[in-house]
Amino acid sequence: KLRSPRVSIEQIKNLHNRFTYLTQDEDTLRREHLENISNLALNPIRRQIIEAFFDKRNMGEKEKGCLQEIGFEEFVTVLSFFRPPKPRTADEEMKNVKKEKLRFLFNMHDTDKDGIITLDEYRRVVEELLSSYETIGAETAKAISDAAMLEVASVTVGQMGPDEFYEGITFEQFMQILKDVEIETKMNIHFWNLDTRTMQCGK
Amino acid sequence: EKEDIYIDYCGMFILVLGLLVGSLMPLGGAASSPDTGTGHGGSHGNKDPGYAKNGNGTTYSKKPFPVLSFDYEHVRLPFEISLWVLLASLMKLGFHLIPRVSSIVPESCLLIVVGLLVGGLIKLVGEDPPVLESKIFFFYLLPPIILDAGYFMPIRQFTENLGTILMFAVVGTLWNSFFVGGLLYGVCQLEGHKLAYVDLLSCLLFGSIISAVDPVAVLAVFEEIHINELLHILVFGESLLNDAVTVVLYHLFEEYSSVGLITVTDVFLGIVCFLVVSLGGIVVGAIYGILAAFTSRFTSHTRVIEPLFVFVYSYMAYLSAEVFHLSGIMALIACGAVMRPYVEANISHKSHTTIKYFLKMWSSVSDTLIFIFLGVSTVAGPHQWNWTFVVATLIFCLVARVLGVVGLTFVINKFRIVKLTSKDQFIIAYGGLRGAIAFSLVYLLNPEHFPMRNMFLTAIITVIFFTVFVQGMTIRPLVDLLAVKKKQETKRSINEEIHTQFLDHLLTGIEDICGHYGHHHWKDKLNRFNKKYVKKCLIAGERSKEPQLIAFYHKMEMKQAIELVESGGGSKLPSALPSTVSMQNIQPKKPSQDRALPQLSKAREEEIRKILRTNLQRTRQRLRSYNRHTLIADPYEDGWNEMLIKRKKMKELEKKMNNYLTVPAPPPDSPTIARARLASDPQAWGLKSVTESIPTIKVDLASPQSPESVNVVDEFSKKGSQPKEEEGGLTMKVPSPAKQRKDKTPDEEPQQRLMRCLSDPGPAAEEEDEDDPFLPQKKSW
């Protein structure tokens, strides 16, 4: 299940060291372990990042829900979403890689797991992004998320009568509006490529 | 078709005009020789004959007062400069009027040809054509182009590819210099008698001069082919950063060529010098950039001179770097890049536009002049043609470039996520154009130390001509042939911006979880430092606390609002939103709440709703633009806080407006909005015709569309106006009460207002501020 052919033994060993460090030698990782990372506390979207590790949808399973604790396998599975594609990847395969990464992002936004990002959920995303700036009121976050939603609806659906209600962003629409962002090249962590000695596992 | 022919003739005419202007140069030169005294003679010969006879004892004969005289020497220099600039601009104008030519041949080629023609003309007349003096080039012509490039440099792409760019700039240029220099020396030795006097150091010097990719030429050609951003930033970044290498190598070889020997110490010192030159240049630039940012913080009362600070500080950075023989180009780039985010947050919108257009104008004129002068200098310059040398130079340059790019890419691709394909490599190699910097550097050489200077000059001009003409002309069809990705013209959407930021934080978080201190971690630290300390110092007022997302959102809204205005009002929506989706579709349906008002029968409600909806559709389209107009009220001039207050009021207003046809009189303290809405949308008057087809709308304000209507009812019941009055209150109907409202006190009854509206003869014919409907009425706030 671990898609190991694309990951080297060296990298797995390093990740395991990190995993053990985080869980303080226990077998499973819980939310508190991740919350203890000091650098992560400064991140405005830490809650969503932590949740992503415990989201069943990211484990390749069809069921929805959250786990309370995860093992090393799940840890690496989530991290593998940030693996850069191999240099000689065919276009078809590249599209799949992009779709996977976008699916990960989508799941992060879709907190109630119904397959649609509603206005409220999107608003919460923008609020979290702006949460590190104390002076910004909720009104501005609302305005931005409204404008963003409007844009998605305009671009993807186009014509809507005044009566119709736009439920929310589906995954296909999500893929459509972010097709220019080049996720497959941006959403990567370099440690998969470089010498794993650069990882400060001791800290 | 007649139009095309007409435009072609116009283009030809302007070109001819330009050539005539150009030919005035030699005449100007010739005119300086006759003395100015002769001009006086003719006009007064017969007027006062008595005076001329007065010659007996007096040595002084009073000349009559000269009515008209000719004194060219007086204004010679500025006159000639202006003539050149005029020539350059007319040429540019002419080329663009003839579309067929300008689509095949890049502008730079045409300009060089013009330069050749003008130079030829001047020589025919017998005068000496002016040469592109290095001082003029380096102090006046080059800085605007570099500043323009540096100020508008896309920082994000630049820093992402910095490693690659540095590799190409430093290692690539070194490789090129030594390869070309060394092989040329070998050729010179082999050739025998004519070239044997060229020693190794001179060859290396020549190699270092000619191997530098020229930013002016690259910009001129690449801008026309609209290539994708990655390639553009790679080649362009390389051309900028190799300046440091060129400076060091040039000075190193020039210093020691007279001695003829370089030791290991010298090489070591050269490396140290390189670090000092590049880092020193950047530091000098950064210091001036911070000074400029700091100064711009206090310019809120003197908006007019804001652009001046940007220009002068940058120019000072360049000159200061040149004082210490540091890299002036890097200083200029660093200054522009450092000051830009802070200055843009501080200055007014108009200053921003001014800076942009001035920089574009100056760099465009400089660019044109440089190429024309290059042509003229070719005709003028002392030449010494040597077949072997020139051909060898050309071949070695090309070969060195190709080998260098291929070799470096092989190494670089090991470290890149987005690998450079062979198509990319070809474009990078092919885009290595040489230009005027190389020419000027050779021109600076002292002929006594370098007897082969003329030969170098000839060789360099040949290489420049080859790269600009052959490579410049063929790169466009090659780009099409190879199907290289072009620049995407898509607008930046708010969704993309949100997700870019989201991704940044996400990747930083993942890096923290893995304990990996990578690229994102440090970038995040830098951003936090910037936000906490730097922004507070350098940005005035509230803007210092503004997150990037909000700044982006406001910029976007401004842009859309301006577009809306320019497209003639609300009837034509900007092309970005060609849909009928509006806010109404997005708001979740609110559950019906208990109404504190008497209920209507269902049928009645339905009927009213249907009527209102039919009309609301059109109104909503226009009113949707409502929100954005408010931002046109020059928010950055008036202060941030005021703007936030205004927006809050706007939002509340929009909620009410969206829900019914009979727009109640807006709160009295917002005449701006009403005037903005009305003045920008002449079609709003059309609503009048609609109402005629509908039976009298007895708008019972108790018929709610949404719970918000409750607010309005309350408001009006407080003020005691009767619902019936509202019928006439289609404020869309009459403009004048809205406009006149600006002079009224806030607690005027809406009733009285409406009475006036009905009895008013009509809008005043002249409204003084029709042209500028969006300026806020300061007193009303």
Side-chain angles (χ1 to χ4, degrees):
Chain A
K1 236 194 346 167
L2 195 51
R3 292 189 286 186
S4 26
R6 285 157 72 182
V7 177
S8 80
I9 303 295
E10 189 66 39
Q11 288 162 348
I12 300 277
K13 227 182 345 165
N14 261 294
L15 282 176
H16 194 260
N17 286 342
R18 180 68 184 172
F19 183 78
T20 336
Y21 169 73
L22 284 175
T23 62
Q24 283 145 15
D25 288 326
E26 289 175 38
D27 285 332
T28 54
L29 186 76
R30 287 191 300 278
R31 288 185 176 80
E32 306 89 68
H33 294 136
L34 288 178
E35 278 160 17
N36 283 337
I37 304 176
S38 51
N39 278 328
L40 201 58
L42 299 164
N43 199 314
I45 55 170
R46 61 187 167 283
R47 218 174 309 277
Q48 287 160 306
I49 299 179
I50 294 177
E51 269 312 306
F53 276 88
F54 296 92
D55 193 337
K56 274 193 189 166
R57 291 174 295 180
N58 292 333
M59 309 301 174
E61 298 171 28
K62 288 300 172 203
E63 30 182 293
K64 306 179 179 170
C66 307
L67 301 163
Q68 287 309 309
E69 46 187 25
I70 57 171
F72 180 62
E73 234 178 82
E74 286 89 10
F75 184 67
V76 176
T77 312
V78 171
L79 286 180
S80 68
F81 279 100
F82 296 91
R83 201 167 34 216
K86 282 232 168 319
R88 261 170 289 277
T89 323
D91 275 341
E92 268 310 307
E93 168 109 28
M94 196 66 100
K95 270 197 216 148
N96 282 340
V97 169
K98 185 166 177 163
K99 191 167 173 178
E100 272 175 23
K101 296 192 196 254
L102 281 175
R103 185 90 223 176
F104 184 82
L105 278 184
F106 188 82
N107 289 343
M108 280 184 86
H109 294 326
D110 182 18
T111 41
D112 61 0
K113 303 175 177 37
D114 60 355
I116 294 186
I117 304 180
T118 59
L119 183 63
D120 272 336
E121 288 169 346
Y122 210 40
R123 196 172 296 162
R124 222 169 300 138
V125 170
V126 176
E127 272 171 14
E128 296 268 297
L129 269 182
L130 296 175
S131 59
S132 51
Y133 295 87
E134 313 83 26
T135 53
I136 303 303
E139 274 303 306
T140 328
K142 183 175 173 313
I144 294 182
S145 57
D146 284 350
M149 230 22 198
L150 187 62
E151 199 183 72
V152 176
S154 312
V155 168
T156 55
V157 180
Q159 305 294 323
M160 273 183 105
D163 259 353
E164 297 172 47
F165 176 59
Y166 180 66
E167 291 287 333
I169 312 179
T170 63
F171 183 55
E172 280 69 34
Q173 293 168 346
F174 191 70
M175 281 202 296
Q176 191 181 344
I177 55 169
L178 288 185
K179 68 179 183 319
D180 287 330
V181 180
E182 283 188 16
I183 289 281
E184 66 271 17
T185 48
K186 292 216 173 117
M187 188 165 142
N188 296 316
I189 299 285
H190 285 236
F191 71 78
W192 289 104
N193 276 348
L194 292 181
D195 188 1
T196 45
R197 275 184 290 243
T198 58
M199 286 169 54
Q200 326 254 337
C201 285
K203 297 189 98 172
Chain B
E1 198 179 284
K2 267 198 181 153
E3 281 261 327
D4 288 341
I5 300 177
Y6 175 68
I7 289 177
D8 275 354
Y9 280 147
C10 280
M12 298 285 188
F13 170 71
I14 290 190
L15 282 177
V16 170
L17 186 65
L19 280 176
L20 280 177
V21 167
S23 60
L24 279 177
M25 313 285 179
L27 290 183
S32 63
S33 25
D35 45 277
T36 48
T38 55
H40 290 240
S43 58
H44 56 267
N46 297 329
K47 284 193 184 118
D48 277 297
Y51 276 63
K53 291 185 189 133
N54 197 9
N56 283 355
T58 50
T59 45
Y60 174 68
S61 63
K62 182 177 171 188
K63 293 196 190 108
F65 187 74
V67 176
L68 196 64
S69 52
F70 184 85
D71 187 1
Y72 184 68
E73 274 305 310
H74 200 50
V75 293
R76 176 162 188 202
L77 189 61
F79 194 83
E80 286 192 349
I81 294 176
S82 310
L83 220 50
W84 277 110
V85 175
L86 192 60
L87 168 71
S89 315
L90 283 173
M91 286 295 115
K92 216 174 160 80
L93 193 67
F95 294 144
H96 284 282
L97 281 181
I98 310 181
R100 251 172 283 130
V101 179
S102 61
S103 57
I104 307 173
V105 187
E107 214 178 78
S108 35
C109 302
L110 292 170
L111 289 170
I112 294 186
V113 169
V114 167
L116 287 172
L117 283 173
V118 173
L121 271 174
I122 295 181
K123 213 160 192 175
L124 274 178
V125 183
E127 286 284 322
D128 259 333
V131 193
L132 181 60
E133 259 183 76
S134 301
K135 202 172 84 156
I136 298 181
F137 175 74
F138 280 115
F139 288 159
Y140 302 118
L141 292 178
L142 189 60
I145 303 181
I146 305 293
L147 180 60
D148 179 37
Y151 195 76
F152 293 109
M153 173 99 82
I155 295 285
R156 216 192 158 89
Q157 274 112 336
F158 188 72
T159 45
E160 276 173 18
N161 293 302
L162 193 60
T164 316
I165 294 178
L166 277 176
M167 277 287 269
F168 277 125
V170 178
V171 181
T173 313
L174 281 173
W175 156 259
N176 277 357
S177 321
F178 285 105
F179 186 83
V180 173
L183 283 187
L184 268 182
Y185 179 64
V187 164
C188 287
Q189 294 304 312
L190 287 174
E191 171 66 10
H193 54 159
K194 266 189 285 182
L195 298 174
Y197 65 101
V198 182
D199 60 323
L200 179 63
L201 281 175
S202 308
C203 279
L204 285 176
L205 176 62
F206 181 70
S208 69
I209 293 177
I210 205 167
S211 59
V213 178
D214 187 81
V216 179
V218 164
L219 265 178
V221 170
F222 269 53
E223 257 185 20
E224 296 187 6
I225 60 179
H226 299 298
I227 207 161
N228 68 47
E229 285 180 344
L230 172 66
L231 286 178
H232 187 258
I233 198 73
L234 282 180
V235 181
F236 182 61
E238 179 198 344
S239 68
L240 290 175
L241 294 187
N242 67 17
D243 181 60
V245 181
T246 312
V247 163
V248 172
L249 285 178
Y250 181 82
H251 283 130
L252 185 69
F253 291 133
E254 198 201 5
E255 263 314 296
Y256 292 115
S257 65
S258 38
V259 181
L261 182 67
I262 290 194
T263 61
V264 180
T265 346
D266 295 328
V267 172
F268 178 68
L269 282 177
I271 297 177
V272 173
C273 181
F274 165 70
L275 289 170
V276 167
V277 160
S278 45
L279 293 175
I282 294 178
V283 165
V284 168
I287 292 177
Y288 275 100
I290 293 180
L291 278 177
F294 190 66
T295 314
S296 71
R297 188 180 163 182
F298 304 105
T299 55
S300 45
H301 300 289
T302 44
R303 294 271 181 209
V304 199
I305 54 172
E306 271 171 345
L308 193 66
F309 284 118
V310 171
F311 299 141
V312 173
Y313 272 114
S314 312
Y315 195 48
M316 291 282 287
Y318 180 76
L319 294 176
S320 311
E322 287 291 327
V323 166
F324 298 102
H325 271 198
L326 304 173
S327 166
I329 289 184
M330 291 179 94
L332 211 44
I333 301 282
C335 185
V338 164
M339 85 165 112
R340 186 177 175 203
Y342 308 109
V343 162
E344 293 213 333
N346 282 332
I347 61 178
S348 69
H349 188 66
K350 292 187 188 128
S351 298
H352 173 77
T353 313
T354 310
I355 291 179
K356 186 162 107 168
Y357 279 98
F358 256 89
L359 280 179
K360 296 287 175 208
M361 181 187 80
W362 268 329
S363 64
S364 174
V365 169
S366 279
D367 174 274
T368 318
L369 275 176
I370 287 178
F371 282 115
I372 290 187
F373 264 115
L374 212 50
V376 173
S377 309
T378 311
V379 175
H383 288 301
Q384 187 187 335
W385 182 270
N386 183 312
W387 274 103
T388 333
F389 192 76
V390 172
V391 173
T393 312
L394 199 55
I395 298 179
F396 292 149
C397 276
L398 292 172
V399 169
R401 178 85 184 152
V402 171
L403 287 179
V405 169
V406 170
L408 281 174
T409 317
F410 180 71
V411 176
I412 289 171
N413 271 344
K414 293 205 204 299
F415 296 96
R416 282 181 67 92
I417 293 186
V418 183
K419 315 283 180 197
L420 294 172
T421 65
S422 29
K423 262 193 240 171
D424 294 335
Q425 290 173 39
F426 177 74
I427 297 291
I428 294 176
Y430 209 66
L433 306 173
R434 301 342 190 238
I437 291 187
F439 177 85
S440 307
L441 284 176
V442 168
Y443 212 78
L444 272 177
L445 290 177
N446 193 336
E448 283 156 41
H449 291 180
F450 297 95
M452 69 294 287
R453 173 176 171 264
N454 295 342
M455 192 168 67
F456 284 174
L457 214 54
T458 315
I460 283 222
I461 287 188
T462 316
V463 173
I464 294 177
F465 270 44
F466 182 83
T467 55
V468 172
F469 277 92
V470 175
Q471 287 180 231
M473 271 202 268
T474 53
I475 200 169
R476 202 186 313 202
L478 276 174
V479 160
D480 289 333
L481 197 70
L482 292 174
V484 179
K485 254 201 316 184
K486 294 244 176 143
K487 182 155 76 164
Q488 286 166 317
E489 295 293 347
T490 50
K491 277 194 227 192
R492 205 52 202 263
S493 74
I494 185 113
N495 279 299
E496 285 179 11
E497 180 71 23
I498 291 178
H499 280 97
T500 315
Q501 296 233 341
F502 190 82
L503 262 181
D504 273 343
H505 289 296
L506 174 63
L507 290 171
T508 313
I510 297 286
E511 278 190 3
D512 287 332
I513 290 180
C514 297
H516 172 62
Y517 287 166
H519 179 58
H520 292 275
H521 179 90
W522 295 115
K523 206 159 79 153
D524 190 58
K525 267 211 157 90
L526 185 68
N527 278 339
R528 239 177 290 139
F529 173 73
N530 189 18
K531 176 179 138 201
K532 207 160 166 206
Y533 300 112
V534 183
K535 272 193 183 169
K536 289 218 176 86
C537 286
L538 298 180
I539 299 185
E542 280 302 307
R543 297 294 302 274
S544 60
K545 302 199 199 86
E546 187 187 56
Q548 195 190 343
L549 188 58
I550 299 205
F552 176 84
Y553 175 62
H554 288 146
K555 228 199 291 192
M556 202 187 72
E557 278 193 320
M558 276 280 266
K559 250 189 258 186
Q560 279 182 332
I562 294 176
E563 257 176 49
L564 204 55
V565 171
E566 282 180 359
S567 71
S571 52
K572 263 191 285 159
L573 296 167
S575 56
L577 291 167
S579 66
T580 55
V581 180
S582 74
M583 289 308 297
Q584 196 77 352
N585 298 103
I586 303 206
Q587 303 293 346
K589 296 188 182 65
K590 296 198 171 80
S592 56
Q593 300 174 3
D594 266 313
R595 302 176 197 150
L597 307 155
Q599 303 261 1
L600 288 174
S601 68
K602 277 273 179 208
R604 179 97 175 145
E605 253 189 63
E606 245 336 293
E607 192 188 305
I608 292 178
R609 261 206 208 106
K610 200 162 58 130
I611 292 171
L612 287 173
R613 203 176 296 137
T614 332
N615 296 307
L616 259 179
Q617 241 172 305
R618 254 174 278 176
T619 312
R620 215 186 290 124
Q621 294 286 35
R622 283 180 219 116
L623 289 178
R624 181 154 56 97
S625 62
Y626 191 46
N627 202 10
R628 298 174 183 176
H629 278 301
T630 62
L631 288 182
I632 287 289
D634 234 345
Y636 305 143
E637 307 271 31
D638 286 331
W640 194 236
N641 285 329
E642 280 181 50
M643 208 204 96
L644 286 176
I645 298 172
K646 277 189 223 178
R647 297 219 27 265
K648 277 206 196 92
K649 290 199 177 120
M650 268 337 42
K651 295 243 182 297
E652 290 158 26
L653 210 45
E654 197 200 346
K655 278 192 207 130
K656 294 174 198 163
M657 297 258 192
N658 267 340
N659 288 311
Y660 17 68
L661 174 64
T662 57
V663 179
D669 50 352
S670 58
T672 321
I673 291 79
R675 270 176 46 236
R677 168 170 33 99
L678 298 166
S680 77
D681 193 4
Q683 259 105 339
W685 312 127
L687 200 56
K688 225 198 222 165
S689 53
V690 174
T691 57
E692 281 153 15
S693 58
I694 299 201
T696 14
I697 300 173
K698 190 157 177 288
V699 175
D700 193 333
L701 282 175
S703 106
Q705 290 299 302
S706 83
E708 272 128 33
S709 64
V710 178
N711 295 347
V712 182
V713 173
D714 284 341
E715 182 181 316
F716 276 90
S717 60
K718 272 190 238 142
K719 294 198 177 166
S721 72
Q722 289 133 37
K724 180 157 69 68
E725 300 281 352
E726 285 308 302
E727 181 180 328
L730 292 166
T731 48
M732 293 280 156
K733 199 154 76 167
V734 191
S736 52
K739 284 185 179 134
Q740 286 166 4
R741 211 181 292 129
K742 66 182 180 249
D743 302 317
K744 304 207 182 36
T745 58
D747 32 69
E748 183 122 9
E749 296 284 70
Q751 198 176 351
Q752 287 176 337
R753 222 177 291 132
L754 290 168
M755 293 303 280
R756 190 175 291 133
C757 137
L758 291 170
S759 62
D760 202 296
E766 51 282 311
E767 272 291 346
E768 72 285 357
D769 41 10
E770 261 311 325
D771 306 335
D772 222 355
F774 302 114
L775 279 182
Q777 282 294 315
K778 297 207 173 115
K779 41 187 187 287
S780 62
W781 290 108

